[in-house]
Amino acid sequence: MSAGAAVVVIGGGVTGLSAAWWLARAGVDVLVLEKGLVGWEASGRNGGGASHYHSPLFHEEQRLWPLMDDLLGYPTEYRRERVIFALNEQHLADYRNMAAEGRKLGYRVSDLDPKQVRELVPLASEKTIGGVHLHYGGHANPQRTVQAYAWALQDLGGRIQQHTRVEGIVVESGRVVAVETAAGRIGADALVVAAGPQTGMLLAKVGVRLPLGYGRAEMIVTEPAPLMPIGGADGNGLYGRQTLRGNLAFGGGPHEWIEMGEAGPPGRPTSPVTRSLARRVAELMPGAARLRVIRSWAGTFENTPDGRPVLDRLDEPANLVVATMSSVGFGLSPASGHAVADLVLEGRCSFADIDKLKLERFANTPEDWLERRGWLPPAAA
Amino acid sequence: MPDPSAIDGKLAPPDEHAGVLVIGAGPAGTAAAIAAAEAGEQVVLVDENPVDPGLMGHDTPLWYGARMTAAVQRPERLVEQLAAANPALEAAMMLGVDVRLGVTAWGLYAPGPALRGLPAAMVGLADAERAWMCGFDRLVLATGARDVAIAFRGWDQPGVMGANGLHVLVQRYDAFDGRRIAVLGSGALGLRTALDAKARGLEVVAIVEVLGAPQGPPDLLAEVAAANIPVLAGHAPLRAEGGASGVERLVLRAPDGLETSLGCDTVCLAVGLAPAIELLQSAGGAIVSDGGRGGHAPALDGAATSLVNVSAVGDCAGPALDHDAWAYQAAWLAALQGAADPSLIICQCEAVTRGDIIEVRAPRYLGPPTERSRARSLGTLIADGPVNQDQIKRLTRACMGVCQARRCREQVALILAEAAGVAPQDVPLAGFRAPVRPLPLAVIADWNETEAMRDGWEIWMAIPGQWAPYADIGTEREFALLGGGSARR
């Protein structure tokens, strides 16, 4: 049996690791339990974007990212700013609407004409009709960031136990007292469940219902191109970035609703969607059309019925905090971890109102909601 | 109510269909195609040769070591050469096999529990201009084997190449731009490589073996002796030296500890071939870890893989060897890199050194390592869990380059095994992903995608309200946004 901890965090993805890191920064004895390797699921398989104007965590996200390399002590490859550019009027209107939301929140946004787009993004199509330049947001390297959280957590005395799947949660007198693993029982004074798709299955063990659907999405990456002034550049139905190495990494397009197991997804295959992604990158950046695609990858994620996070400390068990970011978690992780640590320590988020992210909003979600929404795996061919 | 942004109905059925699709027109693939045609089946046989010369410059798919003649710049003329080098191809064509040269199989997709949106099992094919999908009743993988590369000082210059790369340039392309070869490795592979080269009129200056005695079977050793090719056992290559056009000599340490030098323009590493399992593994086919079959090889029942209607034949099936591939390669790694300084480049594409791998260093473009990064290493990482090559790849970028790790996959695994003190077979295979050949965006792109794909394309899942600003949740404005608005991160 492993030694217990004041706070046990289930899930070594960005949200759980960030929460544990924030707790360790507050001097709390924290242990992260991860079913596999840290960051092995969606946390290490996303577009790396950090421009989430819609979230109550947005201001904290924007405040923290520029500080993260120093705070963590390891590189995240964070770069500020994003350019989103359009090949048609509908997209341009969408991007301007989106940028207006950032402006409304007090952030600097510039409208770009085609020439300005191509100055910032030299690979951009000559058919570009304009774009927006967000002087905030940006992008980081998900895989490097996940490991940075993990190492920074350890540097503060926090512990991570990989390859340790939680099989049960022990509740006594309305409080979590321990979790059960194949390696034995691990005591806890408080529990954070930040286990991505497995979050709902774990909560079900203590009679708490968190409705989730499960999906698979994919991305592609090319060989390196010369670095552009702004690497966080996308459009044409894509999300993604030019990495600091120069590779173009983009995702978007259809997801597949899948079944999910307690030990993980039944697989993470990519599909011929690779070809549709390649097409859109080639359309968006014709100057890159001869660049070779060298990899694709898929990741799996969970979604709540409204697509929004659940960040909540429950009434029962009273020392249990739930954290799912509902498929939009990487960029917000500096702030989501802060919020979760606050919920554990204070019972409320210290820097933002997150009351609309409580679990109770799904109390009346019908049992057959996945069928109603069509969030079911395709019928077999 | 279906989800209009989900994958359902968006992926097109294959553009064409083969009764039997055979990938690879080497001896095994050609024989399989002929057998299927003789049994009355409709057979398509594809082979990626002649390979795009740009890819050959990246040692893809084989380790050519930049020793190609200008002939490879004229792929259309090479087609005749390739046909001439494999007379069985003509027999296959006479039997009605649809033989396609210069066609690459870059992806295998099979329906599965996380890929139900796929209408059928299919293979992604491409020529120089475009890609398309081919369905099949039966798929035969005859993709051969890849060269196992192990770095030593000077290995990253023209003239250092692999045994299969040499074989293809000499025997199939007749486009080898070298004359004097030093062969590293005295197993059956090294001995045959030397004998074949000599038979083609090339000079083999020596076969070098780091172990104390020649390794190959007695009959081949007798042939080598009869051909007057010296076998230098107990000799460790120290470095390849050369000039602008590549290798000029190989410097060895003899058993007596003294340095000796072999004049040569080519150093051919013949210490192992890895079964080419990229397509199978990327599609979720079962792989076993077996040094007696060359390393990572398909799990087979006869020729059948774990994927429905997919079989593997020839070298990609991982035929039984007379030795343990990992043990032999590990001995070579120890001899070639044991005394090497940590600055030896292992991943040429990403300029990752041996020291970078063992110290788990972030790439140099991120600047000098932070103080905390310097305290991290493979040693601290494996204190948290078993060594994992994919994890090292993410952190160091070793194996992340345009050659798709063809030059460093096996040796990084060997280095990790050595440094972590585990057996090579216990280092988990770093996963392969489509496209298993680097193809230009414009070639792999689907320019003719389904209407459903085009009309239902969303950046992310288009869940109503997911992107509504937080302040608007529960307000009139939220409901207005739900009616229109676009999904946006």
Side-chain angles (χ1 to χ4, degrees):
Chain A
M1 169 172 162
S2 307
V7 180
V8 166
V9 176
I10 307 176
V14 271
T15 307
L17 288 169
S18 175
W21 173 69
W22 278 96
L23 287 163
R25 272 161 57 87
V28 175
D29 167 38
V30 61
L31 169 65
V32 176
L33 300 177
E34 162 54 46
K35 67 175 169 54
L37 286 164
V38 292
W40 208 248
E41 303 288 358
S43 295
R45 299 167 184 264
N46 56 78
S51 320
H52 300 95
Y53 69 90
H54 70 290
S55 172
L57 307 174
F58 176 59
H59 293 299
E60 186 71 350
E61 175 192 51
Q62 299 309 310
R63 181 182 79 84
L64 285 168
W65 266 116
L67 309 174
M68 290 308 283
D69 279 23
D70 285 341
L71 290 174
L72 295 171
Y74 302 92
T76 65
E77 300 193 23
Y78 173 71
R79 286 294 182 277
R80 208 174 177 87
E81 300 183 71
R82 180 163 291 275
V83 169
I84 311 171
F85 58 100
L87 307 178
N88 65 55
E89 294 291 346
Q90 177 60 51
H91 281 163
L92 188 59
D94 289 346
Y95 303 157
R96 293 214 161 122
N97 285 338
M98 195 261 303
E101 299 292 344
R103 196 178 277 131
K104 202 158 75 181
L105 291 163
Y107 292 83
R108 190 177 153 216
V109 176
S110 311
D111 281 337
L112 301 177
D113 65 26
K115 180 163 168 289
Q116 291 168 315
V117 168
R118 289 166 55 80
E119 280 165 9
L120 296 174
V121 186
L123 290 171
S125 171
E126 288 178 13
K127 294 177 184 162
T128 301
I129 60 167
V132 294
H133 180 184
L134 314 182
H135 298 261
Y136 57 91
H139 57 101
N141 178 328
Q143 299 172 343
R144 214 169 289 295
T145 302
V146 169
Q147 193 63 55
Y149 279 125
W151 281 340
L153 166 64
Q154 291 178 327
D155 290 342
L156 293 170
R159 288 167 290 151
I160 301 169
Q161 217 168 297
Q162 299 184 122
H163 308 287
T164 305
R165 184 163 70 78
V166 171
E167 295 165 352
I169 297 173
V170 185
V171 176
E172 287 174 9
S173 307
R175 296 181 65 82
V176 174
V177 295
V179 297
E180 300 278 9
T181 73
R185 181 174 284 206
I186 297 172
D189 298 330
L191 181 66
V192 174
V193 184
Q198 282 73 37
T199 302
M201 301 173 206
L202 287 160
L203 292 177
K205 294 176 191 297
V206 293
V208 173
R209 178 168 175 253
L210 166 63
L212 292 175
Y214 310 107
R216 176 186 62 76
E218 42 198 299
M219 296 186 68
I220 61 169
V221 64
T222 71
E223 65 184 310
L227 288 181
M228 303 188 291
I230 301 280
D234 55 21
N236 201 31
L238 301 168
Y239 61 87
R241 63 193 186 113
Q242 180 178 40
T243 70
L244 299 195
R245 172 70 174 95
N247 310 78
L248 304 179
F250 287 100
H255 56 282
E256 176 161 328
W257 296 109
I258 61 170
E259 279 154 15
M260 183 63 65
E262 292 197 22
R268 302 171 195 85
T270 60
S271 79
V273 166
T274 287
R275 301 186 60 208
S276 293
L277 287 166
R279 171 191 183 144
R280 281 164 181 76
V281 178
E283 288 170 346
L284 185 69
M285 301 181 179
R290 299 310 301 177
L291 285 182
R292 297 181 178 98
V293 181
I294 58 174
R295 276 187 299 284
S296 63
W297 71 89
T300 61
F301 52 82
E302 78 281 13
N303 263 125
T304 65
D306 60 14
R308 294 170 190 151
V310 173
L311 294 173
D312 194 7
R313 178 153 150 187
L314 303 183
D315 296 329
E316 169 92 41
N319 58 343
L320 195 161
V321 172
V322 182
T324 164
M325 295 302 291
S326 192
S327 80
V328 186
F330 173 75
L332 288 164
S333 64
S336 63
H338 190 185
V340 169
D342 284 350
L343 290 172
V344 171
L345 298 175
E346 311 290 340
R348 58 179 296 276
C349 178
S350 64
F351 58 88
D353 160 31
I354 59 170
D355 284 350
K356 295 177 196 172
L357 304 183
K358 284 179 173 296
L359 177 59
E360 65 188 19
R361 69 185 191 275
F362 300 124
N364 297 319
T365 300
E367 288 299 327
D368 63 346
W369 72 280
L370 286 172
E371 288 83 348
R372 293 189 191 204
R373 296 291 291 277
W375 289 11
L376 296 176
Chain B
M1 182 185 77
D3 170 3
S5 66
I7 201 167
D8 311 48
K10 292 194 172 64
L11 294 174
D15 299 283
E16 62 169 335
H17 188 90
V20 179
L21 175 60
V22 183
I23 300 174
T30 309
I34 286 173
E38 284 173 343
E41 301 195 76
Q42 177 241 335
V43 185
V44 175
L45 171 61
V46 301
D47 192 287
E48 64 190 319
N49 295 291
V51 172
D52 163 31
L55 273 189
M56 294 179 82
H58 288 296
D59 292 321
T60 299
L62 298 173
W63 187 13
Y64 308 103
R67 276 288 181 258
M68 303 81 80
T69 65
V72 303
Q73 302 295 337
R74 305 280 300 277
E76 63 282 1
R77 292 193 55 185
L78 274 181
V79 168
E80 292 164 31
Q81 169 61 32
L82 288 165
N86 182 4
L89 273 185
E90 195 182 334
M93 284 187 267
M94 296 295 283
L95 285 164
V97 173
D98 180 353
V99 177
R100 304 181 194 169
L101 300 182
V103 172
T104 300
W106 52 266
L108 168 58
Y109 299 99
L115 189 48
R116 290 192 191 159
L118 192 71
M122 57 183 90
V123 171
L125 298 176
D127 59 21
E129 275 87 43
R130 67 186 187 104
W132 67 96
M133 311 303 291
C134 182
F136 53 83
D137 295 332
R138 203 153 66 73
L139 174 66
V140 180
L141 299 173
T143 46
R146 296 185 300 106
D147 294 303
V148 170
I150 299 176
F152 53 97
R153 281 176 62 195
W155 81 299
D156 52 349
Q157 63 186 315
V160 182
M161 66 189 305
N164 235 4
L166 179 69
H167 173 81
V168 165
L169 288 186
V170 172
Q171 310 290 339
R172 293 183 73 184
Y173 280 48
D174 192 18
F176 174 59
D177 187 23
R179 286 197 304 276
R180 305 184 74 204
I181 306 172
V183 174
L184 306 189
S186 71
L189 175 67
L191 301 181
R192 282 208 189 88
T193 297
L195 288 167
D196 287 351
K198 183 115 184 182
R200 293 288 293 229
L202 298 162
E203 182 183 354
V204 179
V205 295
I207 297 168
V208 179
E209 177 54 60
V210 295
L211 299 178
Q215 299 295 300
D219 55 331
L220 282 180
L221 283 167
E223 279 189 57
V224 164
N228 288 319
I229 302 172
V231 180
L232 306 177
H235 282 64
L238 295 175
R239 61 190 177 273
E241 295 178 344
S245 56
V247 173
E248 291 168 1
R249 74 196 72 82
L250 178 68
V251 181
L252 307 168
R253 189 178 54 237
D256 59 12
L258 297 178
E259 285 191 15
T260 168
S261 173
L262 295 172
C264 56
D265 54 43
T266 299
V267 177
C268 177
L269 204 68
V271 302
L273 298 176
I277 57 169
E278 301 99 296
L279 287 168
L280 182 64
Q281 202 267 339
S282 68
I287 302 297
V288 296
S289 187
D290 185 351
R293 291 174 58 199
H296 296 284
L300 292 179
D301 178 2
T305 72
S306 70
L307 297 182
V308 179
N309 298 329
V310 179
S311 58
V313 299
D315 288 345
C316 77
L321 303 174
D322 60 359
H323 65 284
D324 182 282
W326 275 316
Y328 186 54
Q329 290 160 25
W332 269 91
L333 183 93
L336 291 177
Q337 298 183 5
D341 75 64
S343 68
L344 178 68
I345 295 277
I346 303 296
C347 174
Q348 293 187 26
C349 297
E350 300 295 310
V352 181
T353 68
R354 184 178 158 92
D356 294 336
I357 292 166
I358 293 170
E359 299 303 318
V360 193
R361 287 282 173 268
R364 282 180 184 72
Y365 60 77
L366 294 177
T370 65
E371 188 184 330
R372 289 194 195 172
S373 296
R374 275 193 290 272
R376 294 289 173 178
S377 67
L378 185 63
T380 67
L381 206 58
I382 61 177
D384 295 329
V387 63
N388 184 296
Q389 188 172 353
D390 269 324
Q391 190 179 29
I392 298 298
K393 171 178 169 179
R394 291 167 163 214
L395 296 173
T396 66
R397 296 194 64 85
C399 301
M400 262 203 182
V402 67
C403 86
Q404 298 180 316
R406 286 181 172 79
R407 287 180 294 219
C408 67
R409 171 181 287 275
E410 285 75 24
Q411 60 175 321
V412 168
L414 291 168
I415 289 168
L416 293 175
E418 184 186 82
V422 301
Q425 60 264 34
D426 293 334
V427 177
L429 174 68
F432 292 94
R433 265 83 58 70
V436 301
R437 296 290 184 272
L439 294 180
L441 283 165
V443 170
I444 198 169
D446 187 353
W447 298 104
N448 188 31
E449 62 193 19
T450 62
E451 259 177 63
M453 179 72 79
R454 207 171 55 235
D455 297 345
W457 186 276
E458 295 283 349
I459 294 169
W460 200 228
M461 277 156 283
I463 299 171
Q466 185 167 33
W467 307 99
Y470 183 76
D472 295 335
I473 296 174
T475 68
E476 287 296 321
R477 186 161 184 269
E478 180 192 8
F479 295 106
L481 285 171
L482 294 190
S486 158
R488 190 61 220 181
R489 140 193 98 256

